[in-house]
Amino acid sequence: MAGIDVYMVRHGQTYFNLLRRFQGFSDAPLTDAGIQDGHKAGQRLAKIHFDGAYSSDLTRAIHTARYALSENQAQSPVEPTTLPNFREENFGSFEGRDSQVTLTDLNARVPKTYNAYADMVADLGMPVVMDIFHDADPYHLAESYQEFVNRIEAGFKDLKSRHQDGDKVLLVSHGTTIRAIADYFGHPEMAAHPVHNGAVMYLRLKDDGADILAFNDITTVFD
């Protein structure tokens, strides 16, 4: 099977990103730089005819997808279809909070002090970190790793049902989601790195998994 080519793009910068706040299921508008992130991603994907265009149902992803599709030169869809299963990780009651303050609050649950979420993921791994947030949330809203995996598996099953071998699709999603998907498909070394706003993860989705052909790419012009 040649597979379905999926170009996963992280949404553009939001005000929560700028202020270093956990975002998750919550939403914040794109900054001016975030709007440009969408256009720049679209320009690097402009020559690809997409057989389908999708985003998570959070507005930062929808808007980024629209900006990216506005740059397309290959008669692709002009409006994304929303797929809620590709939302960001649900951080529960930690959403909207300063990331450094949150990490300080979690110190008692981790083996050492972390100054950045990325450092925690690089050291402990994405599955462990998701479960730390899940277990620490007093409102029991934050997702566990297994809950996250369940919805991502459902999302890819849905995506494969919509397309056939050889199709190319655009999917605008979120930084932690993209990292966790890389981990899920066997690349924890990729998941250890924060994903740039507007960066592309290019994967070939197959019946038995996926090959990741590019990760966190902000320079390649794809064709």
Side-chain angles (χ1 to χ4, degrees), residues 19-90:
L19 299 173
R20 299 182 182 276
R21 295 181 180 274
F22 283 105
Q23 195 157 206
F25 276 24
S26 302
D27 228 341
L30 299 177
T31 63
D32 289 343
I35 293 171
Q36 290 307 308
D37 289 333
H39 282 292
K40 289 175 182 177
Q43 289 161 9
R44 294 189 295 111
L45 298 168
K47 296 180 181 179
I48 299 174
H49 167 71
F50 291 114
D51 299 286
Y54 306 94
S55 73
S56 93
D57 62 338
L58 298 173
T59 57
R60 60 190 186 272
I62 296 169
H63 292 169
T64 299
R66 287 173 176 164
Y67 291 127
L69 290 168
S70 74
E71 301 287 348
N72 193 267
Q73 303 168 10
Q75 297 183 321
S76 297
V78 297
E79 180 72 13
T81 298
T82 57
L83 300 179
N85 281 323
F86 290 101
R87 280 186 174 198
E88 181 59 292
E89 174 188 355
N90 185 353

Side-chain angles (χ1 to χ4, degrees), residues 93-146:
S93 64
F94 299 104
E95 295 188 3
R97 295 187 64 193
D98 180 273
S99 59
Q100 188 57 61
V101 172
T102 298
L103 293 177
T104 300
D105 289 347
L106 294 176
N107 277 345
R109 296 176 177 268
V110 294
K112 65 181 185 182
T113 299
Y114 295 99
N115 294 316
Y117 179 79
D119 296 337
M120 184 184 292
V121 172
D123 197 25
L124 302 177
M126 186 64 72
V128 171
V129 172
M130 283 192 176
D131 283 342
I132 287 171
F133 276 79
H134 170 265
D135 294 343
D137 182 7
Y139 290 89
H140 309 295
L141 296 172
E143 276 183 301
S144 69
Y145 180 69
Q146 190 56 57

